[in-house]
Amino acid sequence: MKRKNLYGILTAVVLVGVNLSSCSKFLEVEPKEVLTEDQMYRDIFDADAAVIGVYGKFLGLAEQHVLWNELRADLLTVTPQADPYLHELSLNDVTAISANNPYVNPRKFYEVILTCNDVLKNFTAMRNENKLDVDQYSARYSDIMAVRTWIYLQLGVHFGKVPYVTDPLENMDEVLDQSKYSFMEFNQLLPKLIADMEAIPSKRIYNTDESLRLSVDGFIMERFFINKYALLGDLYLWHNDYTKAADAYKNVMTYYDNQGNDDWTFNYYKLKERSVTDNNDLSIGYLRNREQDVRTFINSKTQGWRSMFSRTQDGIWNSEWVWTLPFSSNFGQGNPFIRYFAINGGEYLLKPSQEIIDQWDNQTQWNGVPYDGRKVLSVADADGMPVVTKYLDQYTALGTLVPIDQYNKGGKWFLYRAAKLHLRFAEAANRDGKHKVAYALLNNGIRTNYDNSASSDKTDLQQTQLPWPYDFDARMGQVPYFRGVWHRNEGIRGRAYLRNRVIENPADSLIHIENYLVEESALEQAFEGSRWEDLLRIALRRSDPAYLADKVYNKLSKDGNPNADAVRSKLMQQENWYLPFRWKE
Amino acid sequence: MKNTLIYVIALLGISSFLQQCGDPWEDHINEGLTDINQSLIQRLENEAGASTFLSLLKEADLGVELDGTNSYTIFVPDNQSIGAIAAELRSDKGALSNFVKNHIAVSTHRLNTSADTIQLTMLNGKILDMLSSRIGEVSFLKSNQGSSDGLYHILAAPLMPQQNLWEYITAQQDYKQNQFLSSLSTYKLYDDGLLDSEEDSLLNNEFLHFVGDVRLEKDRFTYFVLQDVAFDKDVSAFLPYVNYRNEADSSIQISRYYVARDLIVRRAYNKEGLPSELTTMSGGKLVVDKSAIVESIQLSNGYVHVLDAALLDNTQGVTNKLASFKVEGEEPSSFSHSRPSNTFHRDRQDPNGLLFRDIMVQNHGVSMFTINYRLPHFLSTSYDVYWRALNDIQANVFQQRLRILGEEYPGVLGAPTRDEMYLSPYTDVPLMNYDEVYVGSFELSEFQQVMAQLMAAASTANGVNTVVLDYLRFVPKVK
């Protein structure tokens, strides 16, 4: 046996020798197009490239993310041009989704997860070999872990139970190996994800001296990376840990406080009050003293509420956005949402549902205008056809909806902004018994709701006088002089120029306020990929399937869909809330 | 067995899906024969029923070549159906080419079995409607025959090229009504200096310009032509309403115009499908007794029905014709003073849930501030006038009034002048009143272009001199 082996080895050596003599140079050259494993993680720049690589892949999930969270819910629906698979998603009868529906395939999500796993393993290895210092490692490791956790949260929300894989796998299909990775229920997955996020070494954004903060192609990278506190807040909120959720959210809301820059302190994530004189704000507004004249309505890409979706990354933009990723024609195909939404330059496959139009039309602005201004700024009417414009403002001209430059398909994936942060903080606060805080943030802000206008001494007014995370100081006194951190907050509805919600039954203010918060989320963030999350979270929390089923029913019945009743009764069963986990190449 | 079951289920799935989103799919069921190795002409040469049309096609000057560089759809009338007219067509080159072109469309068009109209532009520019397995009124004998460069269908009857409405009006000069409408291309109805289209001399024609361009192939019209006796009767019946400067000749012409312009509807109705009541393109109501139709003619863009009975020889007929006229408050022509920062166009909702936009001018500091509305020609009759004015953002009731001015004429030293025809008393605008309010009535002795003025209170005080208007509505009355 041993002898035979020896012969074998000898033969091999001789053969290799013969080969070498004939083509030795070929073997010495390493292939140029392919990086070998040991070439990939050598220094901090390789680590940065890996981070950017993960985000590059992550960008490919944008379409499915928005389709899952909006088309399955009640605010977005299909046009006649949409393919049958989109119809299936819009109908949201998960028992009738065809086997080869490409939109429900979770494979892309796992591709990014496995990349994250690989990157995380290598970052740890680099740290052990001292190729990264502690701070460099903490920031990058935490970032990638947060991205992975975000993806798992999405998978959990939409599939109910998924394989939870934390190993880097060579072969993707190993994900389906039930012996190694059994399907984990959402309520088991959540604690895992929370534990993952609690364990990360850094929850802060990349420091300004980090190489990853350098601008790329004019895009300032500060809002490019996931916000870990916001994600943690979401996880706690799903898990009904309200105080912890509020704590995490409050960390985002106050992240820029007291760093020596008053604009940061008073404006960033504070939902700053309107700028009545020049409309350089993110509010629904009119020209000053002409509020009665609808011709002065601020409908602009550089002023007012609409501008947040397309304005340059200035201080006002930064005061709203928590996380957003840019699409650019310079890389890949550009903004994928143009295809779904645009009527010129796109295929116009999706449109706003009658349900969201009706919800907007049920609002009245302060000047008596009988609809929500955010309707006009989120949706346009093209010869009777409603068009979602939120994703198109960087691509098409206002009014005509014609592409400004049809080859420049820019745009953004809107992942997190201050309004969402406030709504979710308020949701946690409300459930945590702090109804008035929630009411104030939803309506016209902290200051007015904790004020007594008869008293000019504001020392003990205009503040919540609660401990962290419910402490809000919105004092704006002249004598004595106060400018509390929150004095500019005008609330979600205040910013939208809408009247306060009326709590008709104070005894049941908890449910009342929660319903209003979810409704406001629709009005404010329609089509931005939050809706299904909102509906599912509330339905799970209340164990109330009707909450979710009725919403989808409203959309379908207003669309005249004959299956509306059937879908409603299916959605009354919790097992029908989740997409089938169908793995496809 | 198992496989069959899967296919059945799949088919059921597909068919249920097809029902939802319909017709383009259904067409695939009507799959004809396609032979991509043969050109369209080669395939037609082997088609037994197509020989007559093919020979006509080869003789006609099409202006395009069927040589495979572009794909076409040919609607081929069956040999039997055109045997009788072929010889006549051959004798007239122009008619032959028009006839053949009326059967060919660029690109491929499969049989449309749905009830949704597909409009096909044929080579001669005519637009034919294809729906419910018919094109025009003609049914298919054989459909969706494909080739390397197009499709053909075999039809049961030829698609005779038809006149459009304007071609009909100018060609069919036996009727006084048609003569009159044609004459408007050269005759000027009003001496207002308007209407001189450099690009299109036919747009000097008031009928084409103001009522509708009936030359358009893609639009659809139903036009009623009165036989001469009936036409004359109606013209004299309507004459009192169009007293133009007391000049008989001009007035008669205008009366003719007013009679004719209310005899056209923007939709194609054949005699059978004609509803009892129609809204004309100029907004009037038209009630036609089908038994008065003595002839119906199909056009390429609609239908003509010839009527042998007058419509305005009874009060009801005139009442139908007198349409009320509405002017929107937020569409003024001018203001007495420029107050842009006090002028508000407002969106509001009435108690029925309907959105409307109005105009409000508030805190302008001008006594008797006025908003002017230039209006079109008003008839020489009396009018009732109503407004809707919403006073919703003030706590007090304010007053405003309406003035009607007559046609502009050069007054002293040639300055443009208008005479006052009516001045309403100052009228309260009560709080939160969404109803239409009767303002007053006035009588015009002459047919003329008037101006309405909405006038604020004689005060410079804020809140007192506010003016607000959703709309004014003028209702002409029967004499």
Side-chain angles (χ1 to χ4, degrees):
Chain A
M1 196 65 186
K2 222 172 186 180
R3 212 175 165 80
K4 200 177 178 186
N5 257 350
L6 194 63
Y7 277 125
I9 290 169
L10 273 177
T11 324
V13 167
V14 171
L15 277 177
V16 168
V18 170
N19 271 332
L20 281 178
S21 65
S22 60
C23 56
S24 56
K25 273 187 181 165
F26 171 74
L27 276 180
E28 277 167 24
V29 180
E30 290 195 336
K32 282 178 184 164
E33 288 83 9
V34 184
L35 284 177
T36 56
E37 190 91 335
D38 60 324
Q39 286 174 309
M40 274 198 286
Y41 293 97
R42 288 176 305 199
D43 54 26
I44 177 76
F45 301 108
D46 289 343
D48 287 355
V51 172
I52 297 298
V54 167
Y55 276 94
K57 273 201 145 167
F58 179 75
L59 211 48
L61 310 183
E63 282 173 71
Q64 277 174 294
H65 171 246
V66 170
L67 291 176
W68 289 356
N69 282 299
E70 294 294 347
L71 194 55
R72 294 187 67 200
D74 57 339
L75 311 180
L76 195 63
T77 188
V78 284
T79 67
Q81 289 90 283
D83 61 49
Y85 300 129
L86 288 172
H87 278 268
E88 287 176 357
L89 220 49
S90 177
L91 185 65
N92 207 5
D93 177 355
V94 294
T95 60
I97 286 182
S98 46
N100 49 355
N101 188 324
Y103 300 111
V104 302
N105 186 1
R107 191 183 168 96
K108 265 188 179 176
F109 285 66
Y110 276 94
E111 277 176 23
V112 188
I113 285 174
L114 295 183
T115 310
C116 288
N117 292 345
D118 187 57
V119 169
L120 290 172
K121 185 195 79 176
N122 281 295
F123 281 174
T124 307
M126 286 174 85
R127 176 67 202 120
N128 292 338
E129 294 162 26
N130 233 351
K131 289 175 180 169
L132 293 175
D133 70 27
V134 177
D135 290 343
Q136 290 167 343
Y137 167 76
S138 304
R140 284 161 186 76
Y141 183 91
S142 308
D143 188 24
I144 299 305
M145 179 61 88
V147 169
R148 190 184 81 185
T149 309
W150 184 91
I151 299 172
Y152 270 125
L153 177 60
Q154 286 299 317
L155 290 170
V157 165
H158 290 283
F159 293 96
K161 51 183 178 198
V162 290
Y164 176 65
V165 183
T166 56
D167 306 324
L169 301 178
E170 292 286 319
N171 176 9
M172 278 215 58
D173 290 327
E174 278 181 59
V175 168
L176 298 180
D177 186 348
Q178 294 278 322
S179 60
K180 282 168 82 181
Y181 312 107
S182 60
F183 276 74
M184 194 180 277
E185 294 283 344
F186 187 42
N187 55 12
Q188 297 167 323
L189 179 67
L190 262 182
K192 292 260 185 206
L193 300 180
I194 290 172
D196 283 345
M197 281 306 287
E198 282 176 342
I200 56 172
S202 164
K203 296 193 181 67
R204 302 188 64 79
I205 61 177
Y206 286 102
N207 271 331
T208 43
D209 57 358
E210 282 277 14
S211 43
L212 282 168
R213 285 284 298 272
L214 295 172
S215 298
V216 176
D217 278 322
F219 190 82
I220 301 164
M221 299 295 274
E222 192 170 357
R223 300 285 183 265
F224 184 90
F225 304 101
I226 187 168
N227 190 299
K228 292 140 212 152
Y229 282 120
L231 173 62
L232 197 54
D234 286 351
L235 291 169
Y236 286 133
L237 193 61
W238 278 102
H239 204 240
N240 300 339
D241 282 338
Y242 305 117
T243 316
K244 282 183 174 176
D247 172 83
Y249 289 135
K250 192 69 183 299
N251 270 308
V252 191
M253 293 156 93
T254 57
Y255 195 91
Y256 288 92
D257 289 10
N258 303 318
Q259 295 192 23
N261 183 327
D262 275 359
D263 275 350
W264 292 8
T265 305
F266 296 128
N267 299 351
Y268 278 26
Y269 307 152
K270 301 295 188 299
L271 266 80
K272 176 187 158 293
E273 66 197 347
R274 63 194 52 247
S275 180
V276 287
T277 50
D278 57 11
N279 302 99
N280 287 327
D281 54 27
L282 297 176
S283 306
I284 298 293
Y286 296 81
L287 291 188
R288 191 178 201 180
N289 298 328
R290 295 184 64 188
E291 289 83 0
Q292 283 295 325
D293 190 350
V294 289
R295 294 173 303 170
T296 72
F297 180 60
I298 305 300
N299 183 354
S300 156
K301 292 185 185 180
T302 53
Q303 289 177 310
W305 190 85
R306 183 176 199 141
S307 70
M308 73 171 81
F309 300 103
S310 56
R311 70 185 300 138
T312 51
Q313 294 173 284
D314 55 4
I316 294 177
W317 186 89
N318 270 310
S319 73
E320 178 71 12
W321 286 102
V322 178
W323 186 23
T324 177
L325 290 171
F327 298 110
S328 167
S329 278
N330 297 335
F331 314 105
Q333 88 286 38
N335 181 353
F337 298 117
I338 290 170
R339 174 174 164 249
Y340 291 99
F341 295 115
I343 200 157
N344 297 308
E347 296 172 28
Y348 187 52
L349 305 175
L350 306 177
K351 64 176 183 183
S353 68
Q354 190 56 44
E355 172 65 14
I356 180 65
I357 304 280
D358 289 350
Q359 285 198 32
W360 276 318
D361 284 345
N362 283 338
Q363 311 299 319
T364 304
Q365 296 178 40
W366 276 109
N367 57 357
V369 169
Y371 51 81
D372 191 326
R374 291 172 293 189
K375 173 179 84 167
V376 185
L377 305 184
S378 306
V379 166
D381 181 276
D383 292 332
M385 288 179 285
V387 178
V388 173
T389 55
K390 265 187 183 171
Y391 292 93
L392 304 178
D393 278 355
Q394 274 180 257
Y395 179 62
T396 54
L398 289 186
T400 63
L401 299 181
V402 171
I404 301 159
D405 169 1
Q406 59 169 317
Y407 298 109
N408 190 359
K409 298 196 167 190
K412 291 193 188 72
W413 181 9
F414 307 121
L415 283 154
Y416 225 107
R417 60 187 176 92
K420 180 168 174 173
L421 187 63
H422 280 228
L423 284 165
R424 294 204 168 165
F425 177 89
E427 186 180 321
N430 185 46
R431 281 278 168 181
D432 207 11
K434 309 294 184 290
H435 308 306
K436 191 172 179 183
V437 175
Y439 181 87
L441 289 172
L442 166 68
N443 289 296
N444 53 351
I446 298 286
R447 178 156 49 90
T448 12
N449 280 285
Y450 286 87
D451 198 12
N452 171 8
S453 53
S455 167
S456 64
D457 179 354
K458 304 296 186 192
T459 311
D460 293 320
L461 293 167
Q462 299 183 337
Q463 55 192 309
T464 58
Q465 289 172 325
L466 291 166
W468 171 276
Y470 304 113
D471 55 328
F472 290 89
D473 177 1
R475 283 179 295 177
M476 194 166 99
Q478 295 307 331
V479 184
Y481 185 85
F482 291 109
R483 286 296 181 270
V485 167
W486 286 88
H487 78 272
R488 289 179 184 168
N489 170 251
E490 73 171 342
I492 309 257
R493 289 179 73 80
R495 189 168 80 166
Y497 203 51
L498 297 178
R499 293 165 200 273
N500 286 356
R501 291 291 197 176
V502 180
I503 305 296
E504 286 137 12
N505 181 6
D508 191 20
S509 61
L510 182 127
I511 295 296
H512 231 73
I513 291 177
E514 191 166 83
N515 287 347
Y516 281 148
L517 287 169
V518 177
E519 215 175 294
E520 198 62 32
S521 173
L523 302 172
E524 172 77 23
Q525 309 186 71
F527 327 123
E528 288 175 47
S530 283
R531 186 59 174 170
W532 182 259
E533 286 183 21
D534 286 349
L535 299 182
L536 186 73
R537 196 173 57 246
I538 304 294
L540 282 173
R541 180 180 300 150
R542 297 186 190 168
S543 301
D544 180 9
Y547 184 83
L548 185 146
D550 286 345
K551 297 271 194 295
V552 176
Y553 170 82
N554 283 346
K555 167 177 97 166
L556 295 174
S557 64
K558 286 183 184 180
D559 277 1
N561 193 311
N563 298 318
D565 280 307
V567 171
R568 186 187 180 282
S569 52
K570 286 216 168 133
L571 287 173
M572 290 301 287
Q573 317 295 324
Q574 188 170 342
E575 69 262 25
N576 290 333
W577 294 353
Y578 300 108
L579 295 171
F581 194 86
R582 294 214 187 98
W583 186 267
K584 286 252 167 285
E585 279 299 319
Chain B
M1 187 59 202
K2 204 176 174 188
N3 268 348
T4 327
L5 197 65
I6 289 171
Y7 279 118
V8 169
I9 291 171
L11 275 175
L12 281 177
I14 289 172
S15 62
S16 68
F17 162 71
L18 283 176
Q19 275 169 0
Q20 286 173 20
C21 63
D23 316 314
W25 287 87
E26 219 156 270
D27 289 352
H28 286 279
I29 297 171
N30 299 298
E31 212 61 63
L33 179 75
T34 295
D35 182 353
I36 56 159
N37 294 320
Q38 289 196 312
S39 73
L40 196 48
I41 299 294
Q42 282 169 333
R43 283 219 58 188
L44 282 174
E45 278 164 353
N46 297 325
E47 178 70 51
S51 57
T52 312
F53 184 78
L54 193 61
S55 71
L56 292 174
L57 187 141
K58 286 177 174 167
E59 285 170 44
D61 171 26
L62 294 182
V64 295
E65 299 285 335
L66 301 179
D67 57 0
T69 52
N70 203 346
S71 62
Y72 295 94
T73 304
I74 306 187
F75 297 87
V76 181
D78 181 61
N79 282 348
Q80 287 188 335
S81 67
I82 51 171
I85 56 170
E88 190 191 328
L89 283 169
R90 285 200 173 91
S91 64
D92 182 346
K93 273 269 173 209
L96 174 65
S97 122
N98 191 21
F99 176 81
V100 175
K101 282 178 174 178
N102 204 44
H103 289 81
I104 305 177
V106 176
S107 185
T108 52
H109 305 281
R110 305 184 76 85
L111 174 65
N112 173 25
T113 54
S114 79
D116 291 337
T117 307
I118 292 179
Q119 293 199 319
L120 291 187
T121 306
M122 312 312 279
L123 284 187
N124 61 352
K126 296 286 176 188
I127 294 180
L128 298 181
D129 291 350
M130 178 158 66
L131 69 159
S132 308
S133 300
R134 283 173 168 265
I135 182 163
E137 301 275 289
V138 178
S139 61
F140 288 70
L141 296 177
K142 193 171 177 184
S143 61
N144 300 340
Q145 299 299 312
S147 70
S148 60
D149 59 343
L151 273 179
Y152 70 88
H153 310 275
I154 304 288
L155 301 179
L159 302 167
M160 296 309 291
Q162 271 146 347
Q163 293 173 321
N164 66 34
L165 179 50
W166 188 242
E167 285 164 349
Y168 167 81
I169 289 171
T170 46
Q172 184 51 267
Q173 293 283 310
D174 292 348
Y175 298 111
K176 277 190 181 176
Q177 185 179 328
N178 287 352
Q179 286 171 15
F180 169 73
L181 289 178
S182 314
S183 74
L184 284 177
S185 297
T186 47
Y187 178 82
K188 244 186 171 101
L189 213 46
Y190 316 115
D191 62 349
D192 53 10
L194 290 174
L195 282 185
D196 270 311
S197 171
E198 293 270 323
E199 302 85 54
D200 189 343
S201 63
L202 276 178
L203 285 180
N204 287 333
N205 185 304
E206 283 84 350
F207 179 73
L208 289 176
H209 191 98
F210 290 116
V211 181
D213 191 346
V214 299
R215 298 170 300 172
L216 295 177
E217 295 286 353
K218 67 177 175 52
D219 288 357
R220 292 290 176 264
F221 307 95
T222 304
Y223 172 70
F224 299 89
V225 58
L226 295 170
Q227 289 187 336
D228 290 353
V229 177
F231 185 65
D232 286 342
K233 235 183 196 174
D234 276 2
V235 169
S236 50
F238 202 66
L239 197 55
Y241 293 90
V242 289
N243 174 22
Y244 188 62
R245 300 177 185 180
N246 298 316
E247 289 171 24
D249 291 352
S250 299
S251 302
I252 278 246
Q253 287 287 53
I254 293 169
S255 185
R256 286 180 179 139
Y257 174 67
Y258 267 72
V259 168
R261 70 165 204 173
D262 265 337
L263 291 169
I264 180 160
V265 176
R266 196 183 284 283
R267 257 192 84 170
Y269 294 108
N270 59 19
K271 188 177 173 183
E272 293 72 42
L274 203 61
S276 56
E277 192 178 307
L278 299 156
T279 301
T280 70
M281 282 165 63
S282 41
K285 197 161 84 176
L286 183 61
V287 180
V288 174
D289 178 7
K290 274 192 206 179
S291 64
I293 298 177
V294 293
E295 191 190 355
S296 291
I297 302 145
Q298 196 188 351
L299 303 170
S300 63
N301 60 353
Y303 289 91
V304 173
H305 302 294
V306 182
L307 301 175
D308 69 351
L311 297 167
L312 304 179
D313 55 356
N314 57 72
T315 317
Q316 190 54 46
V318 179
T319 311
N320 288 344
K321 187 171 172 60
L322 297 178
S324 73
F325 175 80
K326 199 164 156 180
V327 59
E328 292 293 336
E330 69 277 16
E331 292 168 6
S333 326
S334 58
F335 299 89
S336 61
H337 300 74
S338 175
R339 289 290 182 273
S341 57
N342 305 96
T343 306
F344 312 136
H345 290 201
R346 315 184 308 158
D347 278 354
R348 287 294 183 268
Q349 191 169 27
D350 70 18
N352 297 326
L354 294 175
L355 295 190
F356 62 91
R357 182 167 291 191
D358 70 1
I359 192 170
M360 173 180 266
V361 188
Q362 192 191 31
N363 305 344
H364 44 74
V366 178
S367 174
M368 294 170 65
F369 179 88
T370 306
I371 311 178
N372 303 320
Y373 299 90
R374 273 174 214 279
L375 304 178
H377 283 101
F378 271 41
L379 303 172
S380 47
T381 184
S382 52
Y383 281 86
D384 285 342
V385 54
Y386 303 82
W387 71 36
R388 179 154 87 162
L390 175 64
N391 177 5
D392 63 339
I393 60 166
Q394 293 187 187
N396 62 304
V397 173
F398 56 85
Q399 292 189 320
Q400 59 188 22
R401 70 177 171 186
L402 188 69
R403 181 156 75 160
I404 304 294
L405 298 177
E407 188 150 278
E408 189 175 291
Y409 63 91
V412 181
L413 297 175
T417 310
R418 289 174 186 265
D419 293 333
E420 182 175 291
M421 298 285 147
Y422 173 69
L423 182 64
S424 84
Y426 273 112
T427 308
D428 278 353
V429 182
L431 293 170
M432 304 308 286
N433 180 17
Y434 289 88
D435 297 333
E436 196 174 88
V437 172
Y438 172 76
V439 182
S441 53
F442 60 92
E443 187 170 359
L444 299 174
S445 59
E446 286 185 34
F447 174 85
Q448 60 191 305
Q449 284 180 306
V450 300
M451 180 187 260
Q453 293 185 316
L454 185 69
M455 194 183 289
S459 162
T460 55
N462 285 349
V464 177
N465 60 9
T466 305
V467 276
V468 68
L469 182 66
D470 176 21
Y471 63 80
L472 291 172
R473 193 164 69 89
F474 299 89
V475 183
K477 292 199 281 197
V478 178
K479 277 195 161 177

